Amino acid sequence: MIYKIWMSVVKEFILLKRDLGGLVILFIMPLVLVITVTLIQDSTFKTISDTKIQILLVDNDKGSVSKTVFDNLEKSQLFSVVTQIDNKPLTEEVAKENVYKGKFQLAIIIPKNLSTDLQAKIDQNVENIVSKMGFSDSIAKPQTSKIIQQKEVKLYFDPAVQLSFKNSVMSSIDKMISQIETKSIYTTFQNQLGEENTKFEQKSFITFKEIVPKVNNKEVLPNSVQHNVPAWTLFAIFFIVIPLSINIVKEKSQGTFVRLLTNPVSNLIVIIGKTITYSVICMIQFYMMVAVAIFLFPHIGLPPLNIEGHLFLMSVVALFSGFAAIGFGILLGTIANTQEQSAPFGATSVIILAAIGGVWVPVFAMPKIMQFIAKSSPMNWALEAFYDVLLRNVSFLEIIPKISLLFLFFIITTSIALFYDKKKRTV
């Protein structure tokens, strides 16, 4: 039996050898894909953090608040403030037109009398508090309260910018305005109480600190490489569905499969041979991806992939991911009658599995119904297993459930293929 399996493996390699161009593409294209996508995403992250984004500022206030906003934006590492276009002061209409045409991503419109009305409102509130404390006769002079309308700082966004950018900017500006209001309140209390020399601490009492995982007492900071290499390696592994299914269809259409069955060789032996052959290809793909991420990435401006202590478990995940892809390819090749059926369906189905599995968009960012559907994608099981090993530093026991699902998917798909083939031949 071992000899039969070995000869089946040899037969598969001979078939692959006859199409060297296809074999080269099978290895080269995934490398090009992972390099390109990682470069794009890494440069995008660097653009956000290193390059200042030009924003328009229309100052209708001309007061202390607008000056503080301008100074804070200028000091920011994210923004560069533009207040004139063609040497002409900006107006709201001009700013809106430029943003909506996509020339700028954002325009901030500061309303008239923002500084004076803010101070008047704070004065009213402080005087009310001071008077209730019993200091109204000696310090605060009773005044007739006037109604001060709420002020709006308008934000115009380019319709093409992402929602995450909008939320980030609005959060930053809201924090900035809150700090200005807080400082004004402190100053007003100081003036009302006559304590001119009193200094208030302006720094935030509550701060945030990210606690990152450590390996060998070294902090491990996730980067674009650690996210992209597992995701696109997985994508490449599953793309062997296409050549595998095409080869099976070729065997049926050329009569090779019938000749195989005339020999004392069962269909199971043939499938085992294909599984071994394409598992080897999957592992070669995986190790080539890892080698490129370790040795080539640093030379093209990308951080290297840190696989310290992870290579064995990553190899296990890659192997079982290959099993799942092979099972799907065998099933597709068995059911399809022509190459025109297997190739487009295989490519489309792999893209769909990648999309719902979290390769392109994180599962947590999907709608609830899609998060539920994502749990049924073998790519999601494999991707989570890769992340568990590479980013969450889990043990072998903790990835067993996910690799078991991948192997179960392989068993189910190959069993269906065997049953379908047997049923078809007996009809």
Side-chain angles (χ1 to χ4, degrees):
M1 180 170 176
I2 295 176
Y3 177 75
K4 292 178 181 179
I5 293 174
W6 170 249
M7 293 310 297
S8 180
V9 171
V10 171
K11 184 263 297 181
E12 294 297 330
F13 276 113
I14 291 173
L15 285 175
L16 290 170
K17 186 180 177 182
R18 289 176 180 175
D19 186 12
L20 286 177
L23 195 61
V24 169
I25 290 173
L26 198 61
F27 290 120
I28 299 301
M29 290 309 294
L31 295 179
V32 174
L33 178 68
V34 73
I35 292 170
T36 304
V37 173
T38 307
L39 273 171
I40 291 171
Q41 291 201 357
D42 192 70
S43 62
T44 302
F45 295 145
K46 287 180 179 178
T47 298
I48 293 173
S49 59
D50 297 344
T51 305
K52 290 191 174 185
I53 301 170
Q54 284 192 325
I55 61 172
L56 303 177
L57 180 67
V58 179
D59 182 8
N60 295 322
D61 174 46
K62 311 295 182 184
S64 58
V65 173
S66 61
K67 185 179 183 305
T68 304
V69 170
F70 178 84
D71 291 342
N72 286 341
L73 289 172
E74 278 289 291
K75 291 176 184 175
S76 169
Q77 298 297 316
L78 296 176
F79 305 116
S80 174
V81 182
V82 176
T83 57
Q84 292 183 339
I85 293 180
D86 297 330
N87 295 323
K88 294 179 182 179
L90 279 173
T91 63
E92 183 173 347
E93 284 301 317
V94 172
K96 180 170 70 172
E97 181 182 356
N98 278 272
V99 168
Y100 285 169
K101 286 184 176 179
K103 296 179 180 178
F104 295 87
Q105 277 69 52
L106 169 66
I108 302 174
I109 315 298
I110 299 179
K112 290 182 179 179
N113 304 321
L114 176 60
S115 299
T116 55
D117 285 357
L118 173 63
Q119 191 59 52
K121 186 65 178 177
I122 291 173
D123 287 342
Q124 280 185 4
N125 292 338
V126 171
E127 285 173 6
N128 287 334
I129 294 172
V130 170
S131 64
K132 288 179 181 178
M133 294 171 61
F135 298 112
S136 57
D137 292 332
S138 59
I139 298 177
K141 296 179 180 179
Q143 295 180 359
T144 304
S145 297
K146 66 175 182 178
I147 298 174
I148 300 173
Q149 297 295 329
Q150 216 173 16
K151 295 293 183 180
E152 282 185 341
V153 175
K154 296 180 182 178
L155 302 177
Y156 290 100
F157 286 98
D158 176 5
V161 302
Q162 295 181 345
L163 182 62
S164 57
F165 175 77
K166 290 184 181 181
N167 292 336
S168 176
V169 169
M170 286 190 288
S171 176
S172 299
I173 293 175
D174 183 59
K175 181 180 178 182
M176 190 189 307
I177 298 297
S178 297
Q179 288 176 340
I180 294 170
E181 288 190 47
T182 302
K183 184 177 180 180
S184 299
I185 291 169
Y186 276 135
T187 304
T188 303
F189 264 112
Q190 181 177 317
N191 294 335
Q192 286 284 353
L193 296 173
E195 299 292 337
E196 296 181 359
N197 296 325
T198 303
K199 292 184 179 179
F200 293 98
E201 180 64 51
Q202 293 297 314
K203 291 183 180 179
S204 298
F205 178 72
I206 300 174
T207 59
F208 297 92
K209 180 183 179 182
E210 180 187 4
I211 307 300
V212 298
K214 292 184 178 181
V215 177
N216 297 329
N217 293 323
K218 293 181 181 179
E219 290 187 345
V220 180
L221 296 173
N223 53 50
S224 59
V225 171
Q226 288 173 306
H227 285 278
N228 276 296
V229 171
W232 297 104
T233 298
L234 193 59
F235 191 71
I237 287 174
F238 266 80
F239 245 94
I240 67 160
V241 165
I242 299 171
L244 174 54
S245 61
I246 287 175
N247 278 349
I248 294 175
V249 171
K250 275 184 181 178
E251 287 180 347
K252 291 190 294 183
S253 62
Q254 294 174 358
T256 306
F257 187 66
V258 175
R259 290 197 297 272
L260 283 171
L261 294 177
T262 60
N263 295 317
V265 177
S266 66
N267 195 12
L268 178 62
I269 297 294
V270 175
I271 285 181
I272 291 174
K274 292 181 185 299
T275 302
I276 293 174
T277 303
Y278 283 90
S279 293
V280 171
I281 291 174
C282 288
M283 296 310 294
I284 293 174
Q285 283 181 322
F286 167 71
Y287 288 122
M288 285 179 68
M289 292 280 205
V290 170
V292 164
I294 294 174
F295 300 111
L296 178 62
F297 279 8
H299 297 289
I300 56 176
L302 291 171
L305 179 68
N306 181 15
I307 60 167
E308 184 179 353
H310 301 315
L311 185 59
F312 173 72
L313 289 184
M314 288 179 67
S315 301
V316 171
V317 175
L319 179 62
F320 280 86
S321 302
F323 285 153
I326 291 164
F328 184 51
I330 290 171
L331 176 61
L332 178 57
T334 303
I335 294 175
N337 294 317
T338 64
Q339 296 179 41
E340 288 75 15
Q341 291 177 358
S342 64
F345 184 83
T348 306
S349 58
V350 169
I351 291 172
I352 292 172
L353 287 174
I356 66 176
V359 171
W360 294 343
V361 179
V363 173
F364 67 82
M366 297 179 184
K368 290 293 182 184
I369 182 66
M370 291 307 299
Q371 290 184 25
F372 179 76
I373 294 173
K375 301 299 180 184
S376 64
S377 172
M379 277 206 191
N380 180 253
W381 310 333
L383 188 61
E384 286 299 314
F386 269 126
Y387 286 162
D388 283 346
V389 171
L390 194 58
L391 299 173
R392 301 181 183 119
N393 300 307
V394 303
S395 64
F396 176 73
L397 292 176
E398 292 174 280
I399 64 169
I400 286 178
K402 294 183 179 71
I403 62 176
S404 298
L405 282 173
L406 291 168
F407 192 67
L408 182 62
F409 181 83
F410 166 72
I411 295 296
I412 291 173
T413 49
T414 50
S415 299
I416 294 173
L418 287 169
F419 176 78
Y420 179 87
D421 180 70
K422 185 177 180 182
K423 188 79 173 175
K424 189 175 180 181
R425 282 190 285 113
T426 55
V427 172

